[in-house]
Amino acid sequence: VQLVESGGGLVQAGGSLRLSCVASGDRFGNYWMYWVRQAPGVGLERVSSINTVGDTAYYGDSVKGRFTMSRDNAKKTVDLQMNSLKSEDTAVYYCAAAKVPGSVYDHWGQGTQVTVSS
């Protein structure tokens, strides 16, 4: 599975962005999907995850209530709708895939930069 993110950019605090991740290859529906971010000088933070069928998503405390993750297995896409953005959301956002939830990520995208100006 190859993953390609898009949708990053510069936005003012309080604004919204929608990130998308397109997968190529087979068996996309077999993978749990994740959004993971890395801010400058900070380690990786798991932002959200979604199960294989897309009916259950989980969120980190820092984004709960503001971000919504979704997937479309027919289109092989995963989206992250980000609302009420804060300066601390500034980071490179990566799409990742894992066959086993909670295990290491099997595949990563190249990342997309999100910058929130205060």
Side-chain angles (χ1 to χ4, degrees):
V1 174
Q2 292 184 321
L3 305 172
V4 178
E5 303 97 333
S6 62
L10 174 64
V11 64
Q12 289 188 334
S16 299
L17 278 177
R18 187 176 184 88
L19 305 182
S20 293
C21 173
V22 179
S24 60
D26 295 332
R27 304 185 185 277
F28 171 75
N30 288 355
Y31 290 88
W32 277 67
M33 297 299 297
Y34 301 82
W35 285 99
V36 180
R37 68 186 181 187
Q38 186 165 30
V42 180
L44 292 170
E45 177 189 7
R46 180 180 295 177
V47 173
S48 62
S49 60
I50 194 165
N51 65 358
T52 56
V53 297
D55 61 359
T56 305
Y58 302 90
Y59 302 93
D61 288 341
S62 62
V63 306
K64 201 171 293 183
R66 300 187 297 122
F67 290 11
T68 303
M69 185 175 184
S70 60
R71 71 186 291 167
D72 185 329
N73 284 349
K75 297 180 179 178
K76 297 184 182 179
T77 59
V78 175
D79 291 341
L80 184 68
Q81 177 65 43
M82 305 185 295
N83 298 328
S84 303
L85 284 161
K86 306 175 181 179
S87 57
E88 50 263 45
D89 294 319
T90 294
V92 178
Y93 284 70
Y94 298 92
C95 176
K99 286 184 178 179
V100 178
S103 70
V104 297
Y105 302 119
D106 298 295
H107 304 283
W108 288 83
Q110 84 288 351
T112 185
Q113 176 70 48
V114 171
T115 303
V116 184
S117 63
S118 56

